[in-house]
Amino acid sequence: MKSIRRTTGRGLHSLVTERRSVDLGGITVDLLRIGTFRSDAGAIFGPVPQETWAPMVASELDARSRLLQALNILHVSDASGGVLLETGAVPAGTRVSNADTDSRSARDALIASGLDVERITTIVPSHLHRDHAGGLVDQHGAAAFPRAEIVAPDREIAAVASGSLRARAAYDVAALTRLFTAKPPRSFDGSLDLTPTITLRRLGGHTPGSQATIVRGRERTLLFLGDLFMRPWQANPRWVTSYDDEAWVSVDAKASIFAEAAAGEWLVAMSHEVQAPLGRITADAGRFRFVSE
Ligand SMILES: [Zn+2]
């Protein structure tokens, strides 16, 4: 890695996008925090007792026991084009600013940051929950990035269409069904070499089709796990959220890929971390630890 560059940042609630650029060697990754939202802390910590987690996040909790969560997206680019990981919660052309969520859309944030959205060939949401797939569409429900292909594991697409009450609460089924009818996504099972340098791997756990994205630069590799790794304490594989559909799958998937990340000294990006979303995983007495960079 040649550099991590921080270009803007004006406080946690500002709609000014915070951007960090990383050169992996021939591949540039821009991590953009396009907004924030509040989320119940107990649900984020899942099986962890409150007396354990409360002191860790005391300064972050609001009066309703909620954490401040970032909406992070990653733009990966090389000479052949751009790939967008995540699209946030908000449709293109709209903004949300209320007591719970303060965000602009992924498309608008990318443009405001000077990134060329017309070069984006592929969109890879880590999974299709509302806070990751909301920006796939514009305010009219049409594709926010009409030229780009959307790539998702077939099990994630099936989960959206499953009719499950849990799925209907977590996914915007109507919007995704309309979008996928007009613009069918590319789906895969297992893993997919999206480009010579980007590999997608379906892990499941958080949702049936939660996927890892592995970007291999000449100098360094970057790993993005979506909500399997949203905040730094989840470096302990057993610390999963209440939103994980298959917690036991999450635990084993994290333990396995964290071992790879630690051995390779991969750069790891987190989906909802506000302050320090980039760092590396280190092995720590049979568990793992996150060290920010
Ligand atoms: Zn999320």
Side-chain angles (χ1 to χ4, degrees), residues 37 127 129 131-132 206 227 230 271-272:
F37 65 105
H127 60 299
H129 278 170
D131 55 320
H132 300 258
H206 181 64
D227 283 358
M230 58 170 80
S271 59
H272 292 314

